[in-house]
Amino acid sequence: MLRFETAGESHGECLVATLTGLPAGVPVSLDAVNRQLWRRQQGYGRGGRMRIETDTAEIVAGVRHSKTIGSPVAIIIRNRDWKNWTEALPVEDTDGAEDKRKRVTRPRPGHADLAGVLKYNFDDARYILERASARETAARVAVGAVAKLFLAEFGIEVLSHVIQTGSAKLERGASWDELVELSRKDEVVLGCVDAEAEARMKAVVDEAYRTGDTVGGVFEVVAHNVPPGLGSHIAWDTRLDGRLAQAIVSMQAVKGVEIGLAEEGSASFGSKVQDTIHYHRGERRFTRGANRAGGLEGGISNGQDVVVRGFLKPISTLRRPLESVDLTTREPALAAYERSDVAVVPAAGVIGEAMVALVLAQAMMEKFGGDSLPETKRNFGAYMEQVKNY
Ligand SMILES: Cc1cc2nc3c(=O)[nH]c(=O)nc-3n(C[C@H](O)[C@H](O)[C@H](O)COP(=O)(O)O)c2cc1C
């Protein structure tokens, strides 16, 4: 079973990720991983931290001569900011270390601060926010990039775009080619395929900057060329839609997920929602009238693009802080402020891509197995032949 884990604190030495269960022989390029890390750091509305960190991956296990060797892939991403935190977050306690802590005692509404201190019985939210921080997602994106390289061997690609920032929405669909073009850009504003909509989105972020506020939004992840038959209807935890939903909602600040046009569909009649089925005799294959289901029926991929949207709440650290209570005095106090992002929807899209890629890679390995890439490809090829000849 393909699985990944991450470790690391926001201002600690580094982030660490492991990915276990890929077959041997998957080509891995550091440039490809670093490109995804770079994409995660972009977007109008990011805070000062992104100017400090230029993330680069160090692969320390599982890849030799540019290919996986079947053992767990381990990746390290060093935190450049660590040099400013060595005294505040030392591994070993020493005399005087207590005075150098950067305590957070005014929990931020919406962050993990208060729930975390109650749970772990800390008098300081620092240890909580260090791990709750979305800095952790750099590690997800690194292993997600490796999952993408595996999927690419089967012609599967995963990309994203921003369809809403605050109240500003993209009012049309986006083609796959537009997503490809967007992903190749070296300047990212708000990750929207439409210049006019992006300008409206930027105006919303500008307003948040002006007023000391933050904004959320919606990103859409599209997986292209996914074969039919990944995931299964047979049990609640084998359904691919459920697994994708868990993966997307597990992202920091994501509060909702939509598969296909779920929200629109829930307000429509069935005749307007289900994707009609047709057959192309010349090509000997089934076709569909639309893709409102987002490529999933019965928890099984149906061969259309898999489309998943993530709904991000606005960032909870505000320059104009909200009411809170000081953990020490129990007196009313304004919530803590620490250098923070104002809008992160394009970055969330890139993280969403990584999560979708990891879930799809897991589903591919479940279905096709194999210890070497040629073996997995052979199994995949035989199955695709069966589908073609159905
Ligand atoms: C890419 C990204 C960047 C984020 N940056 C910040 C940030 O700078 N400041 C902040 O307070 N929250 C930020 N968040 C959100 C918090 O990590 C998140 O709200 C917090 O961990 C609490 O979890 P929850 O919102 O899922 O309940 C970011 C989220 C993402 C996806």
Side-chain angles (χ1 to χ4, degrees), residues 263-278:
E263 191 194 357
E264 193 183 310
S266 66
S268 311
F269 287 107
S271 55
K272 302 276 180 283
V273 173
Q274 318 305 346
D275 303 324
T276 50
I277 300 173
H278 311 275

Side-chain angles (χ1 to χ4, degrees), residues 108 110-112 132 134 252-253 255 313 315-317 340-341 344 347 351:
R108 294 158 297 171
H111 223 292
Q252 296 81 343
K255 296 293 131 187
K313 76 179 184 192
I315 297 298
S316 42
T317 308
S340 191
D341 296 320
V344 299
I351 303 158

Side-chain angles (χ1 to χ4, degrees), residues 104 112-125 128 327:
V104 175
D113 305 350
L114 182 58
V117 291
L118 292 175
K119 177 174 167 64
Y120 289 90
N121 201 21
F122 292 145
D123 59 5
D124 168 9
I128 301 300
L327 296 175

Side-chain angles (χ1 to χ4, degrees), residues 261 270-280 285-295 297 302-305:
L261 300 181
S271 55
K272 302 276 180 283
V273 173
Q274 318 305 346
D275 303 324
T276 50
I277 300 173
H278 311 275
Y279 191 69
H280 195 298
R285 65 181 183 93
F286 293 97
T287 62
R288 309 302 292 258
N291 184 18
R292 300 186 195 97
E297 289 169 307
N302 64 11
Q304 302 229 77
D305 283 356

